Amino acid sequence: MQGFNGITPEKLDRLGGILKDARKVAVLSHMNPDGDAVGSCAALLSYLAEVCGKEATVILPNPPGEPLSLITTLIPQDRLVIHETSPEAASKAISEADTIFILDLNR
């Protein structure tokens, strides 16, 4: 049985196993993040932290433009790294992560 965008029960089980074993998670998005990118990163971060109890960090390549920068307030500032302004912190968060999600990419 195949669901939305090829998601099957087997794939969901596999994802559950990955999340169960994850300790530190990095959540990344594309350059010039738009509302979808920042919003999906914020939602996944919230789920990982509040539901799964995982240590997670959102890493954006650069800050979203105005007025979208307001949406970054949905992300706790100690869980948000902007690579453009803090490349060392971004690299550290990625290298320490054992699980990485990259969100909101087009085919």
Side-chain angles (χ1 to χ4, degrees), residues 48-64:
L48 291 169
E50 296 173 22
V51 176
C52 301
K54 304 299 179 183
E55 181 181 334
T57 303
V58 170
I59 302 145
L60 299 177
N62 59 309

Side-chain angles (χ1 to χ4, degrees), residues 8-80:
T8 63
E10 294 80 17
K11 288 179 181 177
L12 288 174
D13 287 344
R14 186 170 165 212
L15 177 60
I18 291 168
L19 286 177
K20 181 181 173 202
D21 295 339
R23 292 177 301 105
K24 289 189 175 187
V25 182
V27 181
L28 291 76
S29 191
H30 58 76
M31 288 292 294
N32 305 316
D34 54 14
D36 288 348
V38 178
S40 60
C41 287
L44 182 57
L45 176 75
S46 177
Y47 175 78
L48 291 169
E50 296 173 22
V51 176
C52 301
K54 304 299 179 183
E55 181 181 334
T57 303
V58 170
I59 302 145
L60 299 177
N62 59 309
E66 294 294 334
L68 292 175
S69 61
L70 205 66
I71 200 168
T72 61
T73 61
L74 296 172
I75 302 170
Q77 294 306 292
D78 64 332
R79 300 284 95 211
L80 174 63

